[in-house]
Amino acid sequence: QYYIRDKKFFLVKDEAERARMEKRKTAFTPAACEDTELNINHPYYDVARHGIVQLAGDDNSGRRVITFSCCRMPPSHQLNHSRLLEYLRYTLDQYVENDYTLVYFHYGLNSRNKPSLNWLQSAYKEFDRKYKKNLKALYVVHPTNFIKILWNIFKPLISHKFGKKITYLNYLSDLREHLKYDQLNIPEDIIRHDENLRDKQKGRPPSSAKVPPPRPPLPTQQFGVSLQYVHTQPLHFIFSGLRVEGLFRRSASVQTIKEVQKLYNQGKPVNFDDYGDIHIPAVILKTFLRELPQPLLTFESYDQILGITSVESSLRVTSCKQVIQGLPEHNYIVLKYLICFLHMVSQESIYNKMTGSNLACVFGLNLIWPPKGASSLSALNPLNLFTELLIDFCSKIFSSRTVPGEILP
């Protein structure tokens, strides 16, 4: 009788323990990140489905922004950290040839999902010079004492030059000084945490002033306006530098870019020879495209462009042509001029290292983006492929439509 009671006691205890563990497991498992464009055949689907690493548009210098959200990391027993490292490298490999920015959202890292120190050390060593060289900024959002402890541990291993790229930001609003905040797909948990931190401050921040209705653009304005207002572009200044290695990959001084934009918007002449840097007009071109109120390829074409990877290879050029033929006249004229110019750049790839594929990686997300938010990582392949096809087969794709006033580079 004692044995039976004892056995029963242990059975009840085991069931209660299982129930507690299940409750803990549910409480600390982050909600899956919904990415309708993510295919189950993705080589890192097991990691990518959590949405830990995401593409988030551009920073104020036109560099690609990649975010890492700790709150989306599931418990360690549900995530293979070696696979996470491989996936992070797989993602960065698409951008390390260009300047890029990382945003690390620290909130949500806890004892249940935190990688080991050995893993962190191996991760830093894994990302060699090619990853660190073009990383221009690393923003650590909501840093804690744990970050400070880590810094002291790894400080002997981290170069002084790399350390200068790290910026600690206490609040999400601080990101607005450096990035296009509205393009960031910030998890709700992080937003709530930020609000809680704000509430703990003495007094609440003043309510934001009402935004006045948009005014019509100045007659001379060239940036952030519809294509119907645009008259000229600085492409001809780049012709002299078609053989410059890394053309369109490198960033330029933010202050200089703002100065040039101001001159253009005021209708004043801009002589890029005075700046002595071919990358300045290159960045100006990308900035112009990014600041259009609607992408050059239009929102209406976004889903059709995403479907390019499902089209049979022999029919993809025809599919591209169909999309281009449906563009409004202003969009078609500017796009044809731009793509023909990029084709010329690609013809000098033996010198500038900018093949059609490399140019597509730079310009793809400047030509098309979704109506809301930034494109997901899984959308990169079709967007870049579509752009690469435009560049490589521009003469075929743009051959059958002529419009009044059309010019070629």
Side-chain angles (χ1 to χ4, degrees):
Q1 187 176 1
Y2 175 82
Y3 172 78
I4 293 175
R5 280 205 310 272
D6 194 44
K7 184 177 181 181
K8 184 176 181 181
F9 167 75
F10 280 113
L11 282 172
V12 171
K13 182 179 179 182
D14 289 344
E15 290 173 359
E17 184 67 21
R18 277 198 301 272
R20 275 198 302 274
M21 291 297 292
E22 194 63 33
K23 184 177 180 181
R24 284 171 56 185
K25 177 180 174 182
T26 303
F28 291 99
T29 301
C33 174
E34 294 184 6
D35 182 357
T36 56
E37 296 160 359
L38 182 64
N39 192 296
I40 195 171
N41 294 321
H42 188 287
Y44 291 96
Y45 178 81
D46 56 316
V47 179
R49 66 191 179 92
H50 296 293
I52 302 167
V53 181
Q54 290 194 324
L55 181 70
D58 309 290
D59 65 11
N60 291 339
S61 299
R63 302 179 289 236
R64 289 286 177 260
V65 176
I66 298 171
T67 64
F68 188 103
S69 303
C70 288
C71 68
R72 286 179 169 162
M73 292 177 63
S76 296
H77 68 275
Q78 296 181 10
L79 177 67
N80 184 325
H81 287 149
S82 295
R83 290 277 293 169
L84 174 61
L85 183 58
E86 291 175 10
Y87 175 58
L88 183 57
R89 188 171 61 241
Y90 167 85
T91 301
L92 294 181
D93 278 343
Q94 302 175 59
Y95 301 101
V96 293
E97 296 301 325
N98 307 306
D99 296 341
Y100 69 100
T101 293
L102 281 178
V103 179
Y104 170 75
F105 294 110
H106 181 64
Y107 175 73
L109 191 70
N110 53 57
S111 59
R112 294 174 180 81
N113 65 3
K114 184 166 58 181
S116 66
L117 290 180
N118 287 336
W119 183 89
L120 292 173
Q121 184 175 355
S122 63
Y124 180 78
K125 292 180 178 178
E126 183 79 18
F127 294 104
D128 55 22
R129 186 175 181 275
K130 77 170 184 177
Y131 296 95
K132 297 166 188 171
K133 177 185 176 184
N134 288 340
L135 173 63
K136 298 306 178 183
L138 169 57
Y139 299 107
V140 179
V141 184
H142 300 138
T144 62
N145 288 333
F146 174 75
I147 292 291
K148 298 175 182 177
I149 294 172
L150 275 184
W151 177 255
N152 288 328
I153 292 174
F154 289 106
K155 195 171 183 179
L157 302 175
I158 298 175
S159 68
H160 175 70
K161 188 175 181 180
F162 183 81
K164 290 172 65 176
K165 299 179 181 182
I166 302 174
T167 302
Y168 296 102
L169 305 176
N170 292 321
Y171 302 102
L172 291 176
S173 57
D174 298 334
L175 282 169
R176 295 183 184 276
E177 299 177 20
H178 311 280
L179 311 171
K180 293 178 172 56
Y181 184 84
D182 295 337
Q183 291 185 1
L184 299 176
N185 183 16
I186 303 175
E188 288 296 326
D189 288 350
I190 294 176
I191 295 175
R192 284 194 295 269
H193 175 66
D194 191 77
E195 291 172 350
N196 290 336
L197 292 177
R198 289 285 188 185
D199 290 343
K200 290 179 181 178
Q201 285 184 309
K202 292 183 179 181
R204 290 176 174 267
S207 57
S208 58
K210 291 184 178 180
V211 180
R215 294 175 296 176
L218 296 172
T220 56
Q221 191 166 337
Q222 297 287 288
F223 292 84
V225 297
S226 173
L227 289 174
Q228 62 180 307
Y229 296 105
V230 177
H231 303 294
T232 60
Q233 287 302 307
L235 286 182
H236 62 281
F237 286 100
I238 308 177
F239 275 104
S240 61
L242 290 184
R243 293 188 173 185
V244 172
E245 185 172 338
L247 184 63
F248 292 115
R249 277 182 178 170
R250 304 303 178 197
S251 56
S253 165
V254 176
Q255 188 61 37
T256 302
I257 296 303
K258 289 181 178 179
E259 177 186 324
V260 173
Q261 284 183 276
K262 184 177 180 180
L263 290 174
Y264 264 115
N265 286 337
Q266 292 175 345
K268 296 180 179 179
V270 175
N271 185 359
F272 287 105
D273 292 333
D274 294 340
Y275 297 95
D277 184 358
I278 196 67
H279 298 297
I280 292 175
V283 172
I284 283 292
L285 173 60
K286 293 186 292 183
T287 303
F288 161 74
L289 294 171
R290 279 196 311 276
E291 294 190 1
L292 288 172
Q294 182 171 181
L296 193 56
L297 285 168
T298 73
F299 291 133
E300 290 77 14
S301 301
Y302 185 74
D303 290 337
Q304 194 174 355
I305 292 173
L306 283 186
I308 191 68
T309 50
S310 61
V311 177
E312 186 179 337
S313 298
S314 60
L315 300 176
R316 285 175 178 173
V317 172
T318 301
S319 179
C320 290
K321 193 171 184 177
Q322 291 172 348
V323 173
I324 300 308
Q325 296 304 311
L327 292 177
E329 183 175 302
H330 287 100
N331 296 64
Y332 181 87
I333 293 173
V334 175
L335 182 67
K336 181 175 181 178
Y337 187 87
L338 172 65
I339 295 299
C340 289
F341 172 76
L342 294 181
H343 179 76
M344 293 173 61
V345 174
S346 71
Q347 297 302 294
E348 303 290 344
S349 61
I350 190 173
Y351 302 103
N352 59 36
K353 312 302 181 187
M354 298 303 291
T355 61
S357 176
N358 290 338
L359 287 168
C361 289
V362 173
F363 279 91
L365 290 175
N366 290 321
L367 295 178
I368 184 68
W369 57 84
K372 294 182 180 180
S375 298
S376 65
L377 283 171
S378 57
L380 288 182
N381 185 43
L383 297 185
N384 290 347
L385 173 60
F386 186 89
T387 307
E388 183 179 355
L389 290 170
L390 293 184
I391 296 172
D392 289 345
F393 299 95
C394 64
S395 59
K396 292 183 179 179
I397 293 174
F398 292 94
S399 61
S400 60
R401 178 179 172 183
T402 57
V403 291
E406 182 181 339
I407 55 175
L408 291 174

